Amino acid sequence: MIPFSPPRIDEKTIAAVTEVLRSGWITTGPKTRELEKKISDYTSSKKTLCLNSWTNAAELALRWFGIGPGDEVIVPAYTYAATANIVVHLGATPVIVDSSANDFNIDIEQLRQKISSRTKAIIPVDIGGLPVDYDAVMNLLKSEPVRKIFQPSGEVQSQLGRPLVLSDAAHSFGAKYKNAKAGNQTDISGFSFHAVKNLTTAEGGALCLNLPQPVDNDAVWQSLNISALHGQTKDAFAKTQAGQWRYDIVEAGFKCNLTDIHAAIGLVELERYDEETLPRRKNICDVYMKAFSNFDWFIAPTFKDEIRESSYHLFMLRVRDIDEQKRDDIIQTISQKGVSVNVHFQPLPLLSYYKNLGFDIADFPNAYGHYSCEISLPVYFDLNDEQMKVVIDVVTDSIQKHS
């Protein structure tokens, strides 16, 4: 069986984790802070906070911004449920926008139409690792019409003077926008380091802070860090310093810190990311593109255009002129032949919870059209050339069998 996306775990990774285990310090400490610093350097961000998941990290960011009942947060229909779930956790209302007709990302014009006086944040999503048009989103949010209708609640929102842009960059670590690494183009960028991501810490995530003046990014980092540790003013490592045991609890916070064990994996991953991980993933996607480009049924995913380059997180193949049932039949045949594939994602209005909130997939034709014919193929560092050939042959045969 060819798996879908196993992590790269080798002797270098094992040695790094073993070093931490033997150090006597395994929770949040120097390795986590080192990873944060290196991610800030990599993304040219002002400040980075590593936490135990994208989900908790992004929810903390929305909480810091003061979002709650009565507020609206705009999210795309085409995303994983976590993007909208965190809005619901806060008692706010998710407002869902259709995909672009051209790719899986949010439609900017429809986004414009959904902004209201209750809009407090936008969460655009880099589906498959392809960045959204960040400038288009930021220019829209900074525009005078949007600022004019914005109704701030609290000091933080008043300082920003417009809705927050929290980019869901879970897929796009290492992607490029206008020749710059993703991570510093919006107010806050959230990365995921889950086991299937390009760069993994087993479980984990990060917030890259790039808020404009007069917002103090160092102060925001400190606030979020406190919120992530039960509202405690010192983390465990700081408390171990001589005579520094005393702490205070300044809020009823949460528990979502990243440990040094996880950070050790991330540091190994980051060290070889540009030289090994990204080139290999790009090569796999290039091989797939070349192999399928001769078939009329193939709708090619976008990996690069004049302003963006993907992180090559997913190869999201689409099959022309098929429906959802035929797509599922193709996947069944592929799986029976020993190749693991996936679908990214079921649009939110197809899921029971969001259906019950009143969302109807018929209102999101682009998202449904992309989803109904999409099949994600295996892309991971250790996928070898022979396995790629098997994937190509099995996928081709299975599609042709059902066409």
Side-chain angles (χ1 to χ4, degrees), residues 47-61:
K47 202 77 176 177
T48 297
L49 179 66
C50 286
L51 297 170
N52 67 347
S53 70
W54 176 94
T55 306
N56 284 334
E59 182 173 331
L60 278 188

Side-chain angles (χ1 to χ4, degrees), residues 43-324:
T43 61
S44 299
S45 294
K46 295 174 182 175
K47 202 77 176 177
T48 297
L49 179 66
C50 286
L51 297 170
N52 67 347
S53 70
W54 176 94
T55 306
N56 284 334
E59 182 173 331
L60 278 188
L62 296 182
R63 287 183 181 276
W64 161 80
F65 198 60
I67 291 172
D71 296 332
E72 294 179 349
V73 177
I74 299 176
V75 301
Y78 211 107
T79 186
Y80 183 62
T83 311
N85 287 353
I86 61 174
V87 178
V88 176
H89 294 170
L90 298 172
T93 301
V95 175
I96 299 179
V97 174
D98 201 6
S99 304
S100 163
N102 300 318
D103 60 39
F104 293 89
N105 291 340
I106 195 167
D107 184 278
I108 302 298
E109 184 53 39
Q110 292 191 47
L111 167 61
R112 182 193 307 276
Q113 296 170 14
K114 293 287 187 176
I115 295 174
S116 75
S117 60
R118 295 173 61 191
T119 302
K120 291 299 177 66
I122 314 293
I123 311 180
V125 182
D126 301 338
I127 297 293
L130 182 71
V132 301
D133 187 344
Y134 294 129
D135 283 356
V137 174
M138 293 304 297
N139 290 339
L140 172 60
L141 270 293
K142 292 177 180 179
S143 67
E144 185 58 30
V146 172
R147 288 182 176 275
K148 188 174 181 179
I149 65 170
F150 182 63
Q151 297 182 2
S153 174
E155 180 182 356
V156 171
Q157 292 183 13
S158 295
Q159 281 187 329
L160 192 61
R162 57 168 172 78
L164 179 77
V165 181
L166 169 62
S167 63
D168 181 343
H171 290 178
S172 56
F173 192 86
K176 291 182 180 180
Y177 180 80
K178 296 187 176 178
N179 294 317
K181 292 286 176 60
N184 72 353
Q185 291 83 5
T186 64
D187 300 317
I188 303 177
S189 295
F191 293 112
S192 171
F193 304 141
H194 179 265
V196 301
K197 298 301 190 292
N198 287 19
L199 186 151
T200 185
T201 58
E203 290 281 1
L207 294 176
C208 290
L209 307 178
N210 295 282
L211 290 145
Q213 293 182 336
V215 183
D216 183 339
N217 285 277
D218 289 336
V220 174
W221 185 96
Q222 186 65 32
S223 175
L224 292 169
N225 189 47
I226 288 171
S227 294
L229 290 166
H230 295 297
Q232 184 171 288
T233 53
K234 289 182 182 176
D235 63 29
F237 190 71
K239 286 165 59 183
T240 64
Q241 308 308 304
Q244 298 300 310
W245 64 270
R246 190 178 295 277
Y247 63 89
D248 194 11
I249 299 293
V250 295
E251 63 177 84
F254 303 88
K255 183 68 167 68
C256 43
N257 54 303
L258 186 78
T259 74
D260 272 20
I261 296 174
H262 294 92
I265 299 172
L267 286 166
V268 172
E269 295 267 289
L270 185 56
E271 180 184 5
R272 59 195 183 189
Y273 194 74
D274 279 357
E275 289 72 28
E276 299 179 26
T277 303
L278 278 181
R280 181 57 182 158
R281 298 186 77 96
K282 181 179 185 301
N283 174 252
I284 292 168
C285 292
D286 287 345
V287 170
Y288 285 158
M289 287 284 279
K290 183 177 180 181
F292 296 123
S293 62
N294 294 324
F295 297 101
D296 292 339
W297 47 258
F298 177 55
I299 303 174
T302 300
F303 289 109
K304 190 174 183 179
D305 59 22
E306 61 275 9
I307 60 171
R308 304 174 294 174
E309 183 172 5
S310 174
S311 67
Y312 303 93
H313 176 58
L314 296 173
F315 191 93
M316 302 174 73
L317 176 149
R318 281 174 291 164
V319 183
R320 197 181 310 278
D321 297 331
I322 64 168
D323 58 20
E324 185 179 358

